C-alpha cells in the first residue's frame, strides 16, 4: 500500500478529513493559553490533559511507522506533538513552582519513561506482524481509557441543565473527527484505529443530543451566585446610610470621613467580585477544553 493508498482513494479522503477536523481540535485550547500568556499566570489551570495528549500523539506516530501505509496518522500527530509541546512550555513558564515541578515529573514519567518502556517491549518482545498487533492494542487500550473524560462535562450539563460548558461547534468537530477516523480505520482495514473512534462517535452523538435537550434552558447556577452579591452590597449601603443619619447631628467632618471610607470599601468589594467572576469564567472555558482535549487525543 502506498503512502496515499492509491488502491483505495477513500482511505486518503477519510484520512484527510480526519487531519482537518483533528487540526481544529488541537487548536481548541489556544485561547486559554493566550490568556495565560497575557496574564503571566496559569490561575490554577492544570497541564495533565496536554501531557497526556502529547503522549497519545507520540504513540500513534510510532504505531504508524511500525505499521507502514498510515502516513496521514503521522502528519496530524506530528502537528499535535508540536502544538502540545508549545502548550506545555507556556504552562511551565508561568506556573507556580509546585505545579511546574508536578508537570515536569509527569512529563518525564509518562512521555519519556512509559513511552521508552513501550518501545523496548515492542522492539525486543515482538517480531513481524505480531509487533503491529501488540503495539496496536496498546494504542487501543490507552485511547479507550481516556474516553471517559467527556463524561464529567456531560454530567455537568445534565445537572445544571445548561450547555454553557459544552459549545456546539466544538462538540460537532469532535463528532466529525471520530467519524473521519472511524472511516479511515475501516477503509484501511485497521481495527486498532477504528475501535477507539466507535466510542468517540457514541460520545459525540450523546453530546449533540444533550445540546438539543438543554440549549434553551437558562443557567440557574450563575443567577444563584449573583443574588447574594447584590444583597450584600445593598445591606452595606443601607448600613452606611443609617450610620450617616444617626451621626449627622454630632460631627460634620466625621460624616464626610465615614462616607468616604465606606464608599471605598464598597468599591473595593465590587472590584474583588468582578475579578472573581472573570476568573470563574476562565475556569469554565478551561474545564471544557480539558475534557474535549482528552477526547481529541483518542481520535487516532
Amino acid at each position: 500500500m502506498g503512502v496515499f493508498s492509491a488502491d483505495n482513494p477513500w482511505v486518503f479522503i477519510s484520512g484527510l478529513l480526519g487531519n482537518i477536523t483533528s487540526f481544529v481540535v488541537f487548536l481548541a485550547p489556544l485561547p486559554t493559553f493566550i490568556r495565560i500568556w497575557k496574564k503571566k499566570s496559569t490561575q490554577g489551570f492544570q497541564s495533565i490533559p496536554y501531557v497526556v495528549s502529547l503522549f497519545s500523539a507520540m504513540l500513534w506516530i510510532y504505531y504508524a511507522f511500525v505499521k507502514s501505509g498510515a502516513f496521514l496518522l503521522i502528519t496530524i500527530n506530528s502537528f499535535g506533538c508540536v502544538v502540545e509541546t508549545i502548550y506545555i512550555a507556556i504552562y511551565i513558564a508561568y506556573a507556580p513552582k509546585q505545579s511546574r515541578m508536578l508537570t515536569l515529573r509527569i512529563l518525564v514519567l509518562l512521555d519519556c519513561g512509559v513511552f521508552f518502556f513501550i518501545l523496548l517491549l515492542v522492539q525486543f518482545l515482538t517480531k513481524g506482524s505480531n509487533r503491529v498487533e501488540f503495539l496496536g492494542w496498546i494504542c487501543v487500550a490507552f485511547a479507550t481509557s481516556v474516553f471517559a473524560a467527556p463524561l464529567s462535562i456531560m454530567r455537568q450539563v445534565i445537572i445544571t441543565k445548561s450547555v454553557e460548558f459544552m459549545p456546539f461547534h466544538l462538540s460537532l468537530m469532535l463528532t466529525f473527527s471520530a467519524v473521519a477516523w472511524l472511516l479511515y480505520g475501516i477503509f484501511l482495514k485497521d481495527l486498532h484505529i477504528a475501535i477507539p473512534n466507535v466510542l468517540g462517535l457514541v460520545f459525540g452523538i450523546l453530546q449533540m443530543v444533550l445540546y438539543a435537550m438543554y440549549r434553551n434552558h437558562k443557567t440557574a447556577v450563575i443567577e444563584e451566585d449573583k443574588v447574594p452579591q447584590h444583597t450584600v452590597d445593598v445591606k452595606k449601603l443601607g448600613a452606611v446610610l443609617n450610620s450617616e443619619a444617626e451621626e449627622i447631628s454630632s460631627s460634620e467632618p466625621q460624616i464626610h470621613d465615614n462616607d468616604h471610607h465606606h464608599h471605598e470599601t464598597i468599591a473595593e468589594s465590587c472590584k474583588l467580585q468582578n475579578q472573581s467572576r472573570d476568573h470563574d469564567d476562565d475556569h469554565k472555558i478551561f474545564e471544557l477544553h480539558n475534557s474535549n482535549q482528552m477526547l481529541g487525543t483518542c481520535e487516532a
Side-chain angles (χ1 to χ4, degrees), residues 8-32:
N8 189 351
W10 290 109
V11 173
F12 174 71
I13 294 173
S14 58
L16 182 61
L17 291 175
N19 272 248
I20 295 172
T21 53
S22 294
F23 178 85
V24 176
V25 172
F26 275 125
L27 292 180
L30 186 59
T32 296

Side-chain angles (χ1 to χ4, degrees), residues 12 35 59 106 112 116 132 136 146 181-182 201 234:
F12 174 71
R35 283 195 298 274
L59 203 57
I106 297 175
C112 296
F116 184 69
V132 177
V146 298
W181 287 117
L182 174 59
L201 177 59
V234 171

Side-chain angles (χ1 to χ4, degrees), residues 30 85 171 218:
L30 186 59
T85 301
S171 298
K218 295 182 178 179

Side-chain angles (χ1 to χ4, degrees), residues 3 52 60 81 102 115 124 133 146 148 182 188 214 238-239 246 287:
V3 171
V52 172
W60 282 113
C81 283
L102 177 61
F115 182 79
F124 293 103
E133 287 293 317
V146 298
L182 174 59
L188 199 60
Y214 298 116
E246 292 174 356
E287 288 172 1

Side-chain angles (χ1 to χ4, degrees), residues 194-205:
I195 289 176
N197 289 289
V198 172
L199 194 57
L201 177 59
V202 171
F203 278 116
I205 293 174

Side-chain angles (χ1 to χ4, degrees), residues 109-130:
L109 179 63
L110 181 63
D111 293 24
C112 296
V114 175
F115 182 79
F116 184 69
F117 178 71
I118 291 174
L119 188 147
L120 290 178
L121 287 179
V122 172
Q123 292 297 323
F124 293 103
L125 296 182
T126 61
K127 294 181 180 180
S129 61
N130 290 333

Side-chain angles (χ1 to χ4, degrees), residues 3-298:
V3 171
F4 294 109
S5 187
D7 295 336
N8 189 351
W10 290 109
V11 173
F12 174 71
I13 294 173
S14 58
L16 182 61
L17 291 175
N19 272 248
I20 295 172
T21 53
S22 294
F23 178 85
V24 176
V25 172
F26 275 125
L27 292 180
L30 186 59
T32 296
F33 283 91
I34 290 176
R35 283 195 298 274
I36 290 176
W37 175 70
K38 288 182 177 180
K39 295 183 179 180
K40 312 297 183 186
S41 172
T42 58
Q43 299 184 331
F45 297 155
Q46 296 181 356
S47 62
I48 294 177
Y50 307 101
V51 176
V52 172
S53 182
L54 177 60
F55 176 76
S56 177
M58 292 166 59
L59 203 57
W60 282 113
I61 290 175
Y62 182 39
Y63 174 76
F65 275 113
V66 172
K67 176 183 174 59
S68 74
F71 178 76
L72 291 174
L73 277 181
I74 299 176
T75 55
I76 186 58
N77 284 290
S78 297
F79 173 76
C81 283
V82 174
V83 171
E84 300 302 335
T85 301
I86 293 174
Y87 290 159
I88 295 170
I90 293 174
Y91 182 90
I92 292 174
Y94 297 112
K97 183 178 180 181
Q98 184 176 0
S99 299
R100 184 187 303 118
M101 295 307 298
L102 177 61
T103 300
L104 290 173
R105 282 196 293 267
I106 297 175
L107 188 64
V108 172
L109 179 63
L110 181 63
D111 293 24
C112 296
V114 175
F115 182 79
F116 184 69
F117 178 71
I118 291 174
L119 188 147
L120 290 178
L121 287 179
V122 172
Q123 292 297 323
F124 293 103
L125 296 182
T126 61
K127 294 181 180 180
S129 61
N130 290 333
R131 178 172 295 174
V132 177
E133 287 293 317
F134 182 76
L135 180 58
W137 287 112
I138 291 177
C139 292
V140 170
F142 178 78
T144 304
S145 66
V146 298
F147 261 117
L151 290 175
S152 60
I153 290 297
M154 294 167 65
R155 178 176 176 271
Q156 196 167 20
V157 170
I158 295 173
I159 293 175
T160 62
K161 301 185 184 302
S162 171
V163 294
E164 63 173 332
F165 304 99
M166 191 176 66
F168 177 79
H169 69 280
L170 192 53
S171 298
L172 185 63
M173 290 305 299
L174 287 165
T175 305
F176 284 159
S177 182
V179 171
W181 287 117
L182 174 59
L183 293 176
Y184 182 75
I186 292 174
F187 292 134
L188 199 60
K189 298 179 181 179
D190 190 327
L191 291 177
H192 306 124
I193 299 175
I195 289 176
N197 289 289
V198 172
L199 194 57
L201 177 59
V202 171
F203 278 116
I205 293 174
L206 288 177
Q207 289 187 27
M208 297 293 99
V209 171
L210 287 177
Y211 188 90
M213 290 174 60
Y214 298 116
R215 60 182 179 142
N216 293 324
H217 283 259
K218 295 182 178 179
T219 305
V221 177
I222 296 178
E223 292 176 356
E224 291 175 358
D225 290 341
K226 288 182 178 179
V227 172
Q229 293 173 355
H230 289 296
T231 302
V232 172
D233 289 345
V234 171
K235 288 182 178 180
K236 285 183 178 181
L237 183 59
V240 173
L241 294 176
N242 290 336
S243 176
E244 291 175 352
E246 292 174 356
E247 296 174 3
I248 194 171
S249 58
S250 58
S251 175
E252 194 69 26
Q254 185 177 358
I255 292 177
H256 291 293
D257 291 341
N258 287 339
D259 180 68
H260 179 71
H261 172 71
H262 283 292
H263 278 293
E264 285 183 346
T265 302
I266 294 173
E268 184 66 24
S269 176
C270 292
K271 181 179 179 181
L272 291 174
Q273 289 172 7
N274 289 333
Q275 292 176 349
S276 176
R277 190 178 300 112
D278 292 340
H279 187 265
D280 290 341
D281 290 340
D282 284 346
H283 270 284
K284 289 175 183 177
I285 296 172
F286 180 77
E287 288 172 1
L288 172 64
H289 284 161
N290 272 358
S291 180
N292 285 329
Q293 186 68 14
M294 293 287 282
L295 178 59
T297 59
C298 303

